Amino acid sequence: MSKHVNYGNVFDKAIDRLHEEGRYRVFIDIMRNKGAYPNARCFHGHNGPKPITVWCSNDYLAMGQHEKVITAMEDALHDVGAGSGGTRNIGGNTHFHVELEHELADLHGKEGALTFTSGYVSNDATLSTLGKLLPGCVIFSDALNHASMIAGIRNSGCEKRVFKHNDMAHLEEMLAAEDHDAPKVIAFESVYSMDGDVAPIHEICDLAEKYNALTYIDEVHAVGMYGQRGGGISERDEAADRIDIIEGTLGKAFGVMGGYIAADTRIIDCIRSYAPGFIFTTSLSPVLVAGVLASVKHLKSSSEERDAQQANAEALKTKMRDAGLPVMDSVTHIVPLMVGDPVRAKKISDILLAEYGCYVQPINYPTVPRGTERLRFTPGPMHTAAMMDQLVGALVEIWDRMELELRQAA
């Protein structure tokens, strides 16, 4: 006689495993203070709101707090209402969507663009559809690509080849092993957000041309942040015209919500027409799209936010380095602090929040490999030197309290 499955027991064990490994995730209950970023209120673990400083937001440039963005969203709300009314095909295509896609195409120097409800969906929907449209396609994926890219490649049903992170020799070896005439896609990121390093875009494009491959770049941690108009690393490195598909997010540096791709009109039309993740999803609210539109337009002409953010990121790295903290080498705006243990990373995060009012989340497996757990700081243009000094002082005290090793000054 067969035994009945104890479903509750299965779920309990799954959660218990996370607790045992020290990587159970806790979502902190906070509210940001409009117009006063990075100040916020925390409701976690105590009665009533407690003032905190946010150190881990992906709203890198505080555009989610920008007056132009908020005003545009308020105006749109009172002009057209809250929701979009459906999928783009049925009732959810507004002039805001059309105008935003025009601005995004222009940002990257492409013929067209297509918006999605998130960066995850844009990666998953585009890569999975690309693979299905290219019979016999092989997709070459950097070892540190986002989970959404991995999901899209898996859902494509294509053969996948994973090359060592930023290793051009290994990528060429893999490309050379395939039929030269078979369809190929090289999928990679511009800024790798957990380590803060950058892809060698021109070298990848050279290999793509040599081996007849399409190029797909994820610029989610770079759009708005780099380039004269915020077009990302591909704009900064004058490589955008060599990339076939540029994917980005509207929820990080642009400060609102959504994802997109920019490419030639044939590719855009194919993804628009074949991708289930686009076709069958209610479109972004026009209120959100209006906010993003204002943000994209502003950052095309203003470098003030980018410059201040880069200066603050460099200042925090220097302060951490001078204090002997194990800040990882990073050539971008990401400031990763190595801990190397999930339990300790969570404990440091908890102490920072409870005792010092500094909010930063631990980054654990599967986001990063086991043994490389870290705290990931993203100082914005509004973080002050006093805030940085308080944070570094708190970290040094916690490192001493937990008997962790500080680096000796050079």
Side-chain angles (χ1 to χ4, degrees):
M1 184 175 178
S2 62
K3 291 175 65 178
H4 291 295
V5 176
N6 185 331
Y7 294 104
N9 190 43
V10 172
F11 298 138
D12 285 341
K13 286 182 176 178
I15 296 299
D16 287 345
R17 284 197 300 273
L18 297 177
H19 282 292
E20 288 165 8
E21 294 172 15
R23 59 186 186 92
Y24 179 76
R25 295 169 189 248
V26 177
F27 297 161
I28 305 300
D29 183 359
I30 69 169
M31 297 276 276
R32 297 201 292 177
N33 300 333
K34 175 181 173 289
Y37 178 84
N39 297 311
R41 293 153 283 163
C42 180
F43 296 82
H44 180 78
H46 41 75
N47 295 322
K50 171 187 173 182
I52 62 169
T53 303
V54 178
W55 284 101
C56 56
S57 175
N58 283 343
D59 185 1
Y60 293 130
L61 302 179
M63 290 304 296
Q65 303 286 312
H66 199 284
E67 201 57 44
K68 285 183 181 178
V69 174
I70 293 169
T71 299
M73 294 178 75
E74 288 175 341
D75 290 347
L77 178 65
H78 294 292
D79 183 22
V80 301
S84 69
T87 64
R88 293 282 293 276
N89 183 53
I90 295 176
N93 191 58
T94 73
H95 186 63
F96 287 116
H97 292 82
V98 174
E99 192 176 356
L100 175 59
E101 287 170 349
H102 174 78
E103 288 290 340
L104 292 169
D106 172 74
L107 177 65
H108 296 293
K110 299 298 182 187
E111 293 176 348
L114 191 67
T115 56
F116 298 81
T117 50
S118 74
Y120 189 106
V121 173
S122 56
N123 269 333
D124 187 4
T126 304
L127 285 166
S128 62
T129 302
L130 264 184
K132 289 169 182 171
L133 290 174
L134 297 169
C137 181
V138 180
I139 300 182
F140 300 81
S141 176
D142 189 284
L144 295 189
N145 276 344
H146 279 125
S148 55
M149 298 176 76
I150 295 168
I153 294 167
R154 183 185 301 118
N155 292 336
S156 74
C158 287
E159 288 289 320
K160 177 178 75 170
R161 306 284 183 263
V162 179
F163 60 93
K164 296 173 186 174
H165 176 53
N166 278 350
D167 188 328
M168 295 301 96
H170 191 219
L171 173 58
E172 179 161 24
E173 180 184 324
M174 288 186 158
L175 287 164
E178 301 296 330
D179 179 355
H180 185 272
D181 295 327
K184 305 175 194 69
V185 177
I186 304 173
F188 62 104
E189 300 180 31
S190 60
V191 172
Y192 290 85
S193 64
M194 292 303 133
D195 292 349
D197 58 344
V198 171
I201 300 178
H202 281 291
E203 292 179 53
I204 291 173
C205 290
D206 290 343
L207 290 177
E209 291 170 7
K210 182 177 179 180
Y211 292 98
N212 188 32
L214 291 174
T215 46
Y216 181 103
I217 189 170
D218 176 313
E219 287 257 41
V220 297
H221 290 279
V223 289
M225 303 291 295
Y226 299 91
Q228 188 175 348
R229 301 195 307 157
I233 297 293
S234 58
E235 183 195 7
R236 185 198 72 178
D237 292 356
E238 299 182 346
D241 62 323
R242 303 187 69 191
I243 302 288
D244 294 296
I245 303 171
I246 297 175
E247 185 266 349
T249 183
L250 307 171
K252 292 184 170 62
F254 292 128
V256 189
M257 180 182 177
Y260 68 92
I261 59 169
D264 72 35
T265 51
R266 291 168 299 184
I267 292 175
I268 295 297
D269 204 18
C270 279
I271 302 303
R272 181 185 73 87
S273 302
Y274 282 93
F278 173 81
I279 297 169
F280 300 108
T281 302
T282 298
S283 65
L284 285 168
S285 160
V287 176
L288 297 173
V289 178
V292 173
L293 184 58
S295 183
V296 171
K297 286 181 175 179
H298 175 79
L299 290 174
K300 277 183 175 180
S301 60
S302 172
S303 291
E304 180 182 343
E305 294 82 6
R306 283 190 284 276
D307 293 344
Q309 198 280 335
Q310 289 289 336
N312 279 349
E314 193 55 44
L316 183 59
K317 290 175 198 174
T318 300
K319 288 176 185 289
M320 286 183 172
R321 213 174 281 121
D322 290 347
L325 291 163
V327 62
M328 299 167 63
D329 290 334
S330 163
V331 296
T332 63
H333 59 282
I334 308 295
V335 184
L337 191 64
M338 179 58 68
V339 179
D341 176 85
V343 176
R344 285 176 171 172
K346 178 68 167 62
K347 187 173 181 180
I348 295 168
S349 171
D350 288 346
I351 295 172
L352 279 171
L353 183 64
E355 298 183 22
Y356 292 96
C358 295
Y359 172 47
V360 62
Q361 280 283 34
I363 306 295
N364 295 328
Y365 177 85
T367 307
V368 294
R370 297 179 196 273
T372 69
E373 292 82 6
R374 67 201 65 178
L375 302 175
R376 176 183 175 273
F377 297 89
T378 53
M382 305 302 178
H383 285 92
T384 65
M387 289 175 180
M388 294 185 208
D389 289 339
Q390 189 234 359
L391 171 66
V392 172
L395 285 166
V396 169
E397 188 279 319
I398 296 167
W399 241 253
D400 181 63
R401 188 193 313 186
M402 294 179 62
E403 298 181 344
L404 300 174
E405 189 174 340
L406 290 171
R407 293 172 177 168
Q408 297 299 314

